[in-house]
Amino acid sequence: MKKELHIFFTALLFYTRIPCPKNINHHPDYLNKASRYFPLIGWIVGGISFVVFYFSALVFSNEIAVILSMIASILVTGAFHEDGFADVCDGFGGGWTKEKILLIMKDSAIGAYGAIGLVLLFLLKFQSLVQLTNTTQIPDFGFGIYNVNIGILLLFITAHSLSRLAAISIVFTHEYSREDATSKSKPIAQNYTWKEVFGAFFFGLLPLLVLAVFCWQILFTFISVFLFRFFLARYFQKWIGGYTGDCLGATQQVCEVVFYLSSFALWKFI
């Protein structure tokens, strides 16, 4: 149990800005095993985002509450995944060879492709969240209209956990692209066991399955999320022969938005 707590705090330290015990660091052995808790980190980030949204909505408009919840998730993760998304936009937008793409993604400066990509990503995320959190347009998931916030909480958590599962699953099926050992994310790609696979899928799918108890149609979002995950992984494989940490961050962001859009599309048929 002590070892598992250490692995969990390693994941928390690596993927978020939440303070951890002083003895926790980026030790490669623990960092490699921390992938099993990546979707669980989504529970925490999604939960914090919902709390900020809920209390903000008591004072401000729904739109402002959504923006504040987005800010909260960015602050909690330190824009870790958004930075990866911007780097992928720059790298694949401006590079035409594997070497050039990897070189651009390693540059800390953001380019036009990255800036444009982030603007469009945030616009999609904002608009889809505004629609999803509009209690007059979404189903009550069997909780009753007065407890519809429970359904919204589960949507927040599911979006963050399922998208992180989609991202980390690429580690289980594809090779790491960079040949050098300078990347902070490389220890995650070195080895994994059935514990990492089982843990990632357990924490990644559990919130979705809980939602499905009250609204089984929500399971269709899994198909759309993993279709995008499949095409992204295939695209990365084609151009750079695998993935990098930035690719995982980009996959998480894209799949999170795909979940929101898929969920809202389902409301049209429920």
Side-chain angles (χ1 to χ4, degrees):
M1 180 60 70
K2 184 177 180 181
K3 182 179 179 180
E4 286 301 315
L5 280 175
H6 194 127
I7 295 172
F8 167 74
F9 280 122
T10 299
L12 195 66
L13 178 68
F14 185 76
Y15 294 115
T16 74
R17 295 292 180 86
I18 298 175
C20 294
K22 293 183 178 180
N23 65 316
I24 304 299
N25 54 39
H26 293 148
H27 192 280
D29 290 341
Y30 287 109
L31 189 57
N32 181 248
K33 294 179 176 64
S35 58
R36 71 184 70 166
Y37 292 119
F38 186 32
L40 181 58
I41 300 301
W43 294 23
I44 298 172
V45 178
I48 292 174
S49 298
F50 171 78
V51 168
V52 172
F53 165 79
Y54 177 78
F55 285 103
S56 298
L58 297 177
V59 181
F60 307 110
S61 67
N62 188 57
E63 290 79 5
I64 292 177
V66 166
I67 292 174
L68 291 175
S69 73
M70 290 171 60
I71 292 173
S73 68
I74 291 172
L75 290 176
V76 169
T77 61
F80 191 51
H81 311 302
E82 290 81 0
D83 178 66
F85 175 81
D87 286 341
V88 165
C89 289
D90 281 331
F92 287 89
W96 293 99
T97 65
K98 174 182 177 179
E99 292 73 21
K100 186 64 175 179
I101 292 172
L102 293 176
L103 182 63
I104 294 174
M105 285 199 293
K106 203 169 185 178
D107 189 350
S108 59
I110 187 171
Y113 290 106
I116 294 170
L118 283 176
V119 170
L120 296 176
L121 176 79
F122 289 144
L123 282 174
L124 272 175
K125 190 179 294 189
F126 168 73
Q127 285 293 340
S128 56
L129 278 171
V130 167
Q131 298 295 331
L132 282 175
T133 54
N134 187 337
T135 56
T136 65
Q137 297 187 33
I138 67 171
D140 61 19
F141 296 105
F143 299 112
I145 189 62
Y146 296 107
N147 293 315
V148 72
N149 282 311
I150 297 177
I152 296 176
L153 168 62
L154 288 173
L155 280 172
F156 270 74
I157 293 176
T158 302
H160 285 273
S161 61
L162 187 62
S163 61
R164 282 164 172 77
L165 171 61
I168 203 65
S169 67
I170 294 178
V171 174
F172 306 145
T173 59
H174 291 72
E175 296 293 327
Y176 189 73
S177 183
R178 293 191 185 277
E179 297 177 356
D180 61 272
T182 59
S183 174
K184 187 180 179 182
S185 301
K186 187 167 184 178
I188 299 174
Q190 290 178 339
N191 295 291
Y192 64 87
T193 67
W194 67 268
K195 292 182 180 180
E196 282 68 63
V197 177
F198 176 80
F201 275 86
F202 176 80
F203 293 118
L205 293 178
L206 185 58
L208 178 67
L209 295 176
V210 172
L211 261 181
V213 172
F214 306 99
C215 179
W216 66 268
Q217 295 93 332
I218 200 71
L219 291 174
F220 286 110
T221 60
F222 176 86
I223 298 175
S224 58
V225 166
F226 269 77
L227 273 177
F228 270 82
R229 178 266 183 207
F230 170 79
F231 286 116
L232 284 171
R234 185 178 180 182
Y235 184 75
F236 299 148
Q237 181 68 35
K238 174 184 177 181
W239 284 97
I240 62 174
Y243 70 92
T244 67
D246 289 330
C247 295
L248 300 183
T251 301
Q252 187 278 318
Q253 286 292 293
V254 171
C255 289
E256 181 185 341
V257 171
V258 168
F259 174 80
Y260 295 141
L261 295 174
S262 301
S263 298
F264 183 69
L266 284 174
W267 303 164
K268 302 295 184 179
F269 305 99
I270 295 179

